Amino acid sequence: MNNHVVSRNNPNQIAKPVGNYSHVTKINRNAEMYVFSGQIGNDQDGHIPSNFNEQVTHTMSNIVALLSSQGLTPANVIKINIWATEEIDWDHFDSIWNDVFGDTPPSMTIAYISGLGLPELKIELDVWAAG
C-alpha cells in the first residue's frame, strides 16, 4: 500500500508478522502527524457495553469516524497500540480489523493489562496517523 504519505512493508530478512499488521510503516517527510487519544468502545450516546466484542466493534467504528473528522481514512493510520483487559476474540477482532484496514494493515502492538481508565472498559486503541 502506498498513498504517497504512508507506505508499509514486511522485510524478507525477518519472520512474517504473527498477526494482521505490518512490521514497517514509513511516513513521507512532508506529512502531518496526528496523535489521537485512546479510543474506547462507547456508542454515540456514551454507553459502554459490557460485552468485549461489542466494545471492539464500537471502538473500530469510533476510530473510523475520528479519522474522517480530520479528513483521513484508515489508510493514513501508521500505528495502533491495543490495550486489553481480557483475552481478545481474534476471529471477531480480525474480521473487523480486516474490514477497516484491508490487505496492508498498520503497525501494531498488543498488551494485556489489568485495567484501563474506567472499570467497565475492556479494550482501548491508541491511534497514530499521518496525512
Side-chain angles (χ1 to χ4, degrees), residues 44-59:
Q44 285 300 107
D45 297 323
H47 174 258
I48 301 170
S50 60
N51 179 277
F52 185 88
N53 283 345
E54 286 181 57
Q55 287 192 29
V56 168
T57 300
H58 286 309
T59 300

Side-chain angles (χ1 to χ4, degrees), residues 5 10 17 23 26 30 33 58 61 76 99-100 104 119-120 126:
V5 173
N10 292 306
H23 278 307
K26 183 179 175 185
N30 298 318
M33 291 287 299
H58 286 309
S61 294
N76 294 99
D99 285 347
V100 171
T104 53
E120 60 269 33
D126 178 25

Side-chain angles (χ1 to χ4, degrees), residues 106-127:
S107 298
M108 171 203 298
T109 297
I110 302 163
Y112 289 105
I113 58 175
S114 61
L116 289 160
L118 297 171
E120 60 269 33
L121 293 178
K122 299 179 181 195
I123 191 164
E124 186 169 345
L125 276 66
D126 178 25
V127 181

